[in-house]
């Protein structure tokens, strides 16, 4: 029995999204499986400040910034929105490098990233008439949901679970420092990884909407 005429196109159009999300899921699962082996080789120092994992986190955020910057250059229909998201992500990258920036800029430290927030505020004020409708439409897309999920995992969840007083409720003080670090940094890494996936989905969303707008204008 053949499928109804409207079902087959819907299924075909969903295949790329299904494939991408399957790849995202497999990558997260693979990294989770690899984590114990990495810890056995490098020890808990892998999770410390200025350690390998923190630089991986910074790298993920840096890639997101570069992707949004590329989107701002190559997708003129959503240039301001891509730049806005890139500025917010750049601030997060500066915050992640607080110890390094504290040594390089003793007075200002990671707060230098506030310049990116100022740039984001300027974009909202300067291009609000274009940005606000785009933001409202973007909030209803799967790409935004993925960005939101990455933020929730990396910031409130990772910080809450990696909070020392939380572990002191059920663990000896001698183990708290390392365990909290493991939970916090692992959560941040997974959150930033999902942010990267959300960045890719956002750019695909911008490209799709921009293409549809060009077709409609023609």
């Amino acid at each position: 029995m053949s499928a109804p005429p409207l079902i087959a196109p819907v299924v075909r159009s969903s295949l790329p999204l299904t494939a991408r999300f399957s790849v995202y899921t497999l990558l997260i699962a693979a990294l989770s499986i690899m984590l114990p082996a990495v810890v056995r080789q490098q020890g808990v120092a892998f999770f410390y400040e200025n350690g390998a994992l923190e630089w991986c986190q910074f790298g993920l955020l840096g890639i997101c910034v570069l992707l949004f910057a590329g989107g701002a250059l190559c997708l003129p229909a959503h240039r301001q929105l891509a730049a806005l998201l890139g500025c917010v992500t750049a601030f997060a990258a500066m915050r992640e490098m607080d110890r390094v920036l504290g040594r390089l800029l003793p007075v200002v430290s990671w707060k230098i990233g506030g310049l990116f927030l100022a740039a984001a505020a300027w974009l909202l004020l300067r291009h609000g008439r274009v940005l606000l409708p785009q933001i409202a439409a973007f909030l209803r897309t799967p790409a935004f949901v993925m960005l939101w999920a990455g933020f929730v995992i990396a910031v409130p969840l990772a910080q809450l679970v990696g909070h020392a007083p939380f572990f002191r409720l059920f663990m000896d003080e001698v183990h708290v420092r390392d365990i909290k670090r493991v939970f916090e940094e692992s959560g941040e890494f997974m959150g930033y990884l999902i942010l990267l996936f959300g960045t890719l989905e956002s750019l695909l969303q911008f490209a799709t909407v921009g293409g549809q707008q060009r077709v409609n204008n023609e």
Side-chain angles (χ1 to χ4, degrees):
M1 182 176 180
S2 61
L6 291 179
I7 293 181
V10 170
V11 172
R12 284 197 297 270
S13 64
S14 299
L15 288 178
L17 181 65
T18 303
R20 292 197 305 272
F21 274 68
S22 297
V23 171
Y24 300 154
T25 303
L26 289 173
L27 184 56
I28 291 174
L31 291 173
S32 300
I33 293 171
M34 290 169 54
L35 187 59
V38 174
V39 175
R40 279 195 295 270
Q41 182 178 10
Q42 299 195 18
V44 74
F46 177 71
F47 299 92
Y48 282 179
E49 290 281 347
N50 205 24
L53 186 59
E54 186 170 69
W55 281 103
C56 288
Q57 294 168 357
F58 178 74
L60 289 174
L61 291 172
I63 293 171
C64 292
V65 173
L66 292 176
L67 287 172
F68 279 130
L73 292 173
C74 302
L75 302 170
H78 289 81
R79 177 165 293 153
Q80 291 83 10
L81 182 53
L84 178 69
L85 293 170
C87 287
V88 175
T89 308
F91 170 76
M94 294 297 99
R95 183 66 182 87
E96 188 62 37
M97 289 278 89
D98 55 344
R99 176 164 292 190
V100 174
L101 291 173
R103 290 199 299 266
L104 296 176
L105 304 169
V107 177
V108 182
S109 185
W110 62 268
K111 299 179 185 66
I112 190 70
L115 294 174
F116 292 107
L117 293 183
W122 179 84
L123 284 169
L124 280 171
L125 293 173
R126 178 70 175 80
H127 303 283
R129 184 172 295 183
V130 174
L131 271 172
L132 292 178
Q134 289 185 348
I135 292 172
F138 182 60
L139 293 177
R140 298 191 293 270
T141 65
F144 169 76
V145 174
M146 182 164 275
L147 287 176
W148 174 83
F151 168 79
V152 168
I153 293 172
V155 182
L157 182 60
Q159 301 306 316
L160 173 64
V161 176
H163 193 46
F166 173 72
F167 284 97
R168 292 192 184 103
L169 296 175
F170 52 85
M171 186 178 293
D172 294 336
E173 181 68 29
V174 67
H175 301 296
V176 166
R177 181 172 178 269
D178 287 342
I179 296 297
K180 90 171 190 62
R181 175 72 61 185
V182 170
F183 274 80
E184 179 181 354
E185 299 302 326
S186 298
E188 287 183 355
F189 177 77
M190 288 302 173
Y192 295 152
L193 186 61
I194 294 174
L195 277 176
L196 175 59
F197 300 154
T199 300
L200 294 172
E201 291 298 314
S202 299
L203 296 179
L204 288 172
Q205 175 70 24
F206 298 161
T208 301
V209 173
Q212 291 173 348
Q213 290 175 347
R214 286 194 297 271
V215 170
N216 293 336
N217 292 335
E218 293 173 358

